[in-house]
Amino acid sequence: MEYETFIKDAEDILKKLGKDFQHPEPNRLDVYIDRTDLLAAAQAIVDAKWGYLSALSGLDCPAPKAEGQQPVEAGHLEALYHFCRMAAVTTLRVKVPYNDAHVPSICSVIPSATLYERELMELFGIIVDDTPIPDRLVLADEWPEGVYPLRKSFTGLDVPERAAQES
Amino acid sequence: MQESKEKFIVPIGPQHPALKEPGHFEFTVDGETVTSATIRLGFVHRGIEKMAESRTYIQNLYLFERICGICSHVHATAFASGVEKLAGVTVSPRVKAIRTLFLELERIQSHLLWLGVAAHEGGFDTLFMYSWRDRETVMDIHETISGNRVHHSVNLIGGVKFDITPEQVKKSLKGLDFLEERAKYYEKVVTTDETFLGRTRNVGTMTKEQATVLSAVGPTARASGVQRDVRVESPYAGYPEYPVNIVLDEGGDLSARFIVRIKELYECFRICREILKNLPEGELSVKVPRRIPAGEVVSRVEAPRGELFYFIKSNGGETPERVKVRTPSLCNWSTISSVAVGHKLADMPMLLVGIDPCFSCNDRLVTVRQANTSQTMYWEDLRKYGVEYYK
Amino acid sequence: MESKKISAWANTMEGLKTWARINSPWVIHFNSGSCNGCDIEILATLTPRYDLERFGVKLQGSPRHADILLTTGPVTRQARERLLRVYEQMPEPKFVVAIGSCGLSGGVFHGSYNIAGSIDEVLPVSAFIPGCPPRPEAIIHGVVALLNSLKKE
């Protein structure tokens, strides 16, 4: 199928930058990369004219509960950059720890990413360094700082003002 | 040297200028010319992605349907298909056909709605009344088959809720014939009416290069010659069996955007007829477990406005771990902030409406920056300003 | 004592005059965060098939001339301020009609972190029109029922 060729191409483009490559579905490629390589990866995809940036998802993966003596895997936040070319989807996945939640902006390479980066910042609290417009996109002006609704720690049942005090 | 800049805050209503909020765009104007544009959303932010995490997959079907009242079925289909992929379930050909039928009917309804709104923005109110009156025919078809005009709730996870009877087929075909005649009339208006062309030709031109780089999607992209249509590139539901002929226009201007949407109507009619006349066999639904196996899936569909992107992550439980929804209008907004620069303020209403912004999919704000003072300009005034300017 | 009686009478006369104006009410619409389903059905009432205007109801754009506020949506945080402002700008007597399930209780969005819930948590509502969305006929029925109930008083 056509998408198989595209996926192979994407792997070739990113093989030096990606740490780990996975195929969750036949038409999808997940590339785990360090944030320091994110901009280069985005540039490589754009230079090769491999598709377009379709979406930017955030993920909150908190540490699982400790069971007995087993050491707990630290939780992390993740930013997923989905690029689409016809039926193929390549996702750049950047994991960041809670206490150092930064990713570089890719707006210098893909200007239209600004809206997605704004949304990522306010809903997950992942700071996008050097993003051209850091203003809020969807949360209300009165929404307190430091409260990130899409994090698992925000249950939505608390009054956000109280949640801000507790975090 | 002091530049004279004016700041207009222009709140935009969802579909009609008389409606207040939830839109807020920000334009910086130098005299008559727009020098930059940004947006602020927030009025229709309902926290859907968060809510989805604490509701079961079945409850979420009803939630996602209501992201938007115009493109509700396409959201539900994207979600249901994604979950079915995770569950490793395949739906029957009949289900795919019924889903596709509704997807195309929804496209017809959406394009006619847009035609009316766009016409109204340009001051062509008769066209607005005509297209919305004709749109009622599609609403009737929706209601005949599904029981509701909007939010038809066609989908189940694993199938559809109802079947189509021969009576309904007959009625729907008649409606489609009427609509096709009307579409021919609209095509004539948008391609030959001089007043109309005066407001749309060479306005908001976006080159193929720009459209590609700015990640434009949907009819907005296709009007600039970019071959982007998820139904063609990555067929889903029944599209492999009922393939779509992509509708393109090289014009790249507002007039092209009208033409592309009207021509797409013909494709919709054709596909709907094919499905209605040859409904394949199959069960209406298959059993899907309450607990969906863990995994991540990407579900992309072509909404009337462009590519709709769903990312669903399951943790093996009854409620999703994460659902990310990226709606098409968010992509197309970036094209405005680039293309608007250099245009006159009077062109803004038509330009904005050209991307067919869905305010509930992504609500929007408009502000026009001014150095010292800030002026609130209601959308209605901006629209009237545009109409007067071109008289 | 007498002056109080006179002013009470004057108020009643004023009231009666304004009730009479309700015969041809001017209506304004506000979307406080809805999916647009209700808003489009409201707009559809203007189109030839339903034709709201034959009931003397006119949908227009400014709060300062409006008698009835048709509001949809589950009142998101950002919209709440503006909803209140629109209401404040309306002259007395004024009435609020909440349209759709979202207006009643927040609809499917009930419990979200960004919505206030039902419209009557923010404004005094005179009439609720349920539905998701309510049909144009239902909207017209609701508005006309409100007008009739006002005329009766």
Side-chain angles (χ1 to χ4, degrees), chain B residues 311-379:
Chain B
F311 171 76
I312 307 171
K313 179 173 175 160
S314 163
N315 54 19
E318 288 184 9
T319 62
E321 171 76 12
R322 171 92 175 97
V323 183
K324 161 77 184 170
V325 181
R326 197 278 292 138
T327 51
S329 300
L330 199 62
C331 284
N332 286 332
W333 167 249
S334 316
T335 66
I336 290 286
S337 44
S338 298
V339 173
V341 176
H343 274 84
K344 304 193 248 307
L345 187 63
D347 289 328
M348 288 305 104
M350 289 299 263
L351 208 65
L352 282 164
V353 106
I355 65 168
D356 193 2
C358 184
F359 290 98
S360 47
C361 282
N362 308 106
D363 63 307
R364 240 133 265 173
L365 281 176
V366 182
T367 319
V368 181
R369 281 197 189 286
Q370 183 174 27
N372 302 310
T373 56
S374 115
Q375 214 187 71
T376 306
M377 195 183 193
Y378 281 115
W379 177 252

Side-chain angles (χ1 to χ4, degrees), chain C residues 2-37:
Chain C
E2 268 220 352
S3 59
K4 258 201 186 144
K5 270 196 198 148
I6 293 167
S7 72
W9 175 244
N11 283 341
T12 315
M13 281 313 296
E14 260 315 306
L16 276 173
K17 277 190 220 151
T18 35
W19 289 131
R21 248 192 277 142
I22 296 296
N23 244 326
S24 186
W26 283 26
V27 161
I28 187 190
H29 167 284
F30 185 82
N31 174 332
S32 73
S34 90
C35 75
N36 278 4

Side-chain angles (χ1 to χ4, degrees), chain A residues 133-156:
Chain A
I133 303 168
D135 304 337
R136 283 196 166 151
L137 190 68
V138 295
L139 287 179
D141 297 325
E142 52 165 61
W143 188 267
E145 287 287 335
V147 181
Y148 307 114
L150 278 178
R151 286 208 187 173
K152 296 291 180 182
S153 51
F154 178 77
T155 57

Side-chain angles (χ1 to χ4, degrees), chain B residues 176-310:
Chain B
L176 289 170
D177 287 337
F178 168 74
L179 286 167
E180 181 141 23
E181 280 310 305
R182 297 302 298 160
K184 290 187 186 141
Y185 165 73
Y186 295 127
E187 189 180 3
K188 209 166 111 202
V189 170
V190 306
T191 49
T192 58
D193 184 289
E194 278 309 312
T195 341
F196 197 86
L197 288 170
R199 289 271 348 242
T200 58
R201 196 169 269 163
N202 298 321
V203 170
T205 308
M206 184 166 60
T207 62
K208 198 168 176 177
E209 257 305 303
Q210 279 176 305
T212 316
V213 162
L214 294 169
S215 302
V217 291
T220 311
R222 297 196 279 279
S224 291
V226 176
Q227 292 210 32
R228 212 169 261 172
D229 187 329
V230 186
R231 298 172 293 169
V232 174
E233 299 172 335
S234 178
Y236 52 94
Y239 291 110
E241 285 77 44
Y242 305 97
V244 176
N245 299 317
I246 199 167
V247 176
L248 292 175
D249 194 294
E250 302 294 326
D253 60 1
L254 191 54
S255 163
R257 288 172 210 148
F258 273 90
I259 293 171
V260 164
R261 287 187 177 95
I262 292 178
K263 288 205 171 134
E264 282 190 0
L265 285 177
Y266 295 127
E267 276 296 296
C268 298
F269 298 141
R270 180 183 66 78
I271 296 173
C272 288
R273 282 198 187 103
E274 253 183 72
I275 296 174
L276 285 167
K277 290 180 180 162
N278 303 299
L279 261 178
E281 292 301 308
E283 312 164 295
L284 286 183
S285 70
V286 283
K287 198 149 171 43
V288 176
R290 277 180 76 86
R291 289 176 188 277
I292 302 293
E296 294 175 352
V297 75
V298 165
S299 187
R300 291 162 64 209
V301 296
E302 182 79 10
R305 286 163 187 78
E307 177 190 323
L308 177 61
F309 186 100
Y310 266 69

